[in-house]
């Protein structure tokens, strides 16, 4: 595995399987991993808000015998108080790894380039790889397989969508993506994922009709319509995305036991109704829990 975890595109199928197998093992017997990262410290640099990523990395480090330090927007001021390179070089003298949640994806790449320790992408405007790995872990946990399974992602072609493109195409899970015109995923990432899909046998299809995209699928996934940093577009997007809501009538078009996934936070009443996210089909809190197990596996792979 590379020094850093910045994109799922950097991992081959075996490396992904190894991480997910380890995550399953950690989930089953967490007590056996209590000292694996003893005396190791993780820096968490967050330029955007977070619940799951922040808490699951902190708790994960603690459960593995290490500790973590939270550095919020008021602490580091990346590129303002000092350059990313200087932050990376300094922190590398104190800590064993860095998680960075930021805006421009280039910030994560720059941090990794200058840090002597592993850098983990905790979400950038382009990608959310810890989420993407957790999502395929959750699909496997719920359905037992990837082959001949189809996920429909409905909504914005954003960071979460991009990491799903990578993770699904690497493991052979089919992915239907429905977005409004103009909100499609990055064409470069789609192209790259179609190359991965050739190898794994997964089929990637883009739609503008959510109804067509969900027909007969096994998993329906959605995310917020306006991501962090796009707050001023929220009202405009609410109108454009109105037809892309996951509600009972859309659900009826999928398989009867379709699993509902959402990376959270959810804007209930916008991209998903209360009824659907609270329904028996919804696995969103298992999905959130799995962030902890998968990230512990990532930390072990990078730090031992
Ligand atoms: N899904 C996710 O990354 O949640 P947070 O933004 O709360 O970390
Ligand atoms: N697309 C969302 C994901 C949040 C976990 C955002 O970037 O805000």
């Amino acid at each position: 595995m590379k020094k850093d975890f910045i994109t799922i595109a950097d991992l081959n199928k075996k490396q992904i399987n190894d991480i997910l197998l380890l995550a399953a093992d950690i989930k089953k017997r967490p007590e056996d991993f209590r000292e694996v990262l003893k005396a190791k410290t993780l820096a968490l640099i967050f330029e955007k808000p977070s619940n799951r990523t922040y808490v699951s990395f902190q708790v994960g480090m603690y459960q593995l015998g290490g500790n973590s330090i939270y550095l919020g927007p008021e602490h580091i001021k990346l590129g303002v108080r000092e350059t990313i390179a200087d932050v990376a070089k300094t922190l590398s003298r104190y800590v064993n790894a860095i998680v960075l949640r930021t805006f421009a994806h280039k910030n994560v790449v720059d941090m990794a380039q200058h840090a002597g320790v592993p850098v983990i992408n905790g979400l950038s405007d382009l990608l959310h790889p810890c989420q993407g790995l957790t999502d395929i872990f959750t699909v496997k946990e719920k359905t037992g397989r990837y082959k001949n399974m189809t996920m429909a992602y409905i909504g914005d072609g954003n960071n979460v969508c991009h990491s799903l493109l990578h993770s699904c195409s690497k493991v052979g899970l089919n992915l239907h993506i429905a977005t409004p015109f103009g909100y499609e995923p990055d064409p470069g990432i789609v192209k790259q994922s179609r190359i991965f899909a050739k190898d794994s046998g997964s089929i990637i299809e883009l739609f503008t009709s959510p109804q067509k995209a969900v027909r007969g699928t096994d998993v329906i996934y959605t995310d917020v319509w306006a991501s962090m940093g796009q707050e001023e577009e929220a009202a405009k997007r609410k109108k454009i995305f109105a037809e892309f809501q996951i509600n009972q009538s859309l659900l009826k078009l999928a398989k009867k036991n379709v699993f509902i996934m959402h990376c959270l936070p959810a804007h209930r009443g916008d991209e998903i109704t209360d009824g659907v996210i609270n329904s028996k089909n919804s696995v969103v809190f298992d999905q959130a829990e799995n962030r902890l197990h998968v990230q512990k596996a990532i930390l072990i792979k990078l730090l031992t």
Side-chain angles (χ1 to χ4, degrees):
M1 208 161 143
K2 285 196 173 178
K3 171 177 85 69
D4 312 290
F5 179 50
I6 292 179
T7 169
I8 295 166
D10 283 345
L11 300 175
N12 61 35
K13 198 170 173 179
K14 183 181 180 311
Q15 289 167 328
I16 292 176
N17 277 336
D18 287 350
I19 294 170
L20 300 188
L21 281 174
L22 179 59
D25 201 21
I26 291 168
K27 185 169 183 176
K28 213 180 290 161
R29 42 184 199 99
E31 61 286 354
D32 291 348
F33 295 84
R34 259 189 221 142
E35 304 227 319
V36 182
L37 297 186
K38 198 171 170 182
K40 303 240 193 247
T41 301
L42 177 68
L44 296 158
I45 308 177
F46 278 58
E47 297 198 295
K48 291 175 175 173
S50 172
N51 171 2
R52 281 142 291 271
T53 309
Y54 166 44
V55 179
S56 56
F57 266 115
Q58 279 222 318
V59 171
M61 273 309 278
Y62 174 73
Q63 291 179 352
L64 294 170
N67 68 353
S68 56
I69 299 170
Y70 174 70
L71 299 158
E74 72 282 10
H75 295 110
I76 295 267
K77 296 191 189 300
L78 275 189
V80 178
R81 191 162 180 267
E82 55 191 324
T83 65
I84 291 181
D86 288 353
V87 172
K89 287 176 193 164
T90 305
L91 283 179
S92 300
R93 303 291 179 104
Y94 301 137
V95 302
N96 303 94
I98 299 166
V99 173
L100 176 58
R101 168 169 285 201
T102 188
F103 294 87
H105 185 69
K106 187 177 180 297
N107 293 347
V108 191
V109 176
D110 287 353
M111 183 73 78
Q113 191 193 329
H114 295 285
V117 298
V119 171
I120 298 171
N121 181 358
L123 180 147
S124 66
D125 288 346
L126 188 70
L127 298 172
H128 196 2
C130 297
Q131 186 69 57
L133 274 192
T134 302
D135 296 336
I136 55 167
F137 177 84
T138 306
V139 169
K140 185 74 170 281
E141 184 179 56
K142 298 293 169 191
T143 69
R145 65 197 166 104
Y146 298 127
K147 211 172 155 48
N148 299 323
M149 301 286 298
T150 303
M151 175 188 284
Y153 175 92
I154 311 297
D156 187 23
N158 62 14
N159 44 11
V160 167
C161 177
H162 292 154
S163 285
L164 279 172
L165 269 162
H166 283 154
S167 59
C168 294
S169 64
K170 285 273 181 178
V171 299
L173 179 62
N174 301 327
L175 182 62
H176 292 178
I177 298 174
T179 63
F181 182 73
Y183 293 86
E184 298 83 2
D186 177 88
I189 292 185
V190 174
K191 196 172 161 196
Q192 184 184 35
S193 302
R194 285 208 162 114
I195 295 170
F196 300 149
K198 259 197 193 136
D199 237 31
S200 69
S202 89
I203 298 162
I204 312 280
E205 282 189 85
L206 302 192
F207 296 80
T208 48
S209 156
Q211 286 76 18
K212 284 187 184 152
V214 301
R215 198 153 289 147
T217 55
D218 306 275
V219 181
I220 299 179
Y221 195 118
T222 190
D223 183 17
V224 291
W225 293 335
S227 285
M228 292 180 278
Q230 298 173 331
E231 288 78 8
E232 75 292 349
E233 289 179 40
K236 176 182 149 206
R237 283 171 173 257
K238 209 168 164 152
K239 285 189 200 134
I240 294 170
F241 284 81
E243 300 303 313
F244 290 74
Q245 185 187 63
I246 311 300
N247 51 35
Q248 290 297 347
S249 57
L250 196 66
L251 219 65
K252 283 198 189 107
L253 303 173
K255 286 192 180 149
K256 191 168 170 287
N257 295 324
V258 63
F259 290 103
I260 303 297
M261 295 178 67
H262 191 310
C263 58
L264 305 178
H267 292 166
R268 290 161 177 256
D270 285 351
E271 75 274 3
I272 192 160
T273 59
D274 257 336
V276 171
I277 201 167
N278 294 338
S279 70
K280 61 174 183 6
N281 302 66
S282 171
V283 295
V284 299
F285 296 110
D286 292 336
Q287 189 186 350
E289 178 193 322
N290 286 337
R291 291 288 302 278
L292 173 67
H293 311 301
V294 171
Q295 287 163 195
K296 282 165 83 175
I298 293 168
L299 287 167
I300 292 172
K301 290 285 180 195
L302 293 177
L303 288 173
T304 59

